[in-house]
Amino acid sequence: ASARLRILIVEDDALVAETMARTLAARGCLPSIASSAIAALRLSRREEFALAVVDVSLGGELDGVDVAEWLTRLYDIPI
């Protein structure tokens, strides 16, 4: 059996995040949801992700572009 891909979803709209998570899980992936930039960075410290899907218009102090840059620079996660 092949390893299941861990995918980080960074999305502040719960309905969108849950829909993406269900879709990815149905395709054999292991999705994790972060609803903020800080949550995404914390999760990335604890878990290794194959890919991140990031909302570019993420609310908060850091937007999705900032999060994508940090995830790529610190953890080498493809966006």
Side-chain angles (χ1 to χ4, degrees), residues 6-27:
R6 291 186 144 304
I7 299 179
L8 175 61
I9 299 167
V10 186
E11 172 59 67
D12 56 357
D13 182 318
L15 180 60
V16 172
E18 288 296 329
T19 301
M20 285 195 298
R22 278 194 308 273
T23 300
L24 290 167
R27 286 165 175 71

Side-chain angles (χ1 to χ4, degrees), residues 51-72:
L51 176 72
V53 179
V54 181
D55 174 8
V56 294
S57 61
L58 192 64
E61 291 184 25
L62 298 173
D63 66 15
V65 175
D66 295 325
V67 173
E69 288 175 358
W70 279 104
L71 293 174
T72 301

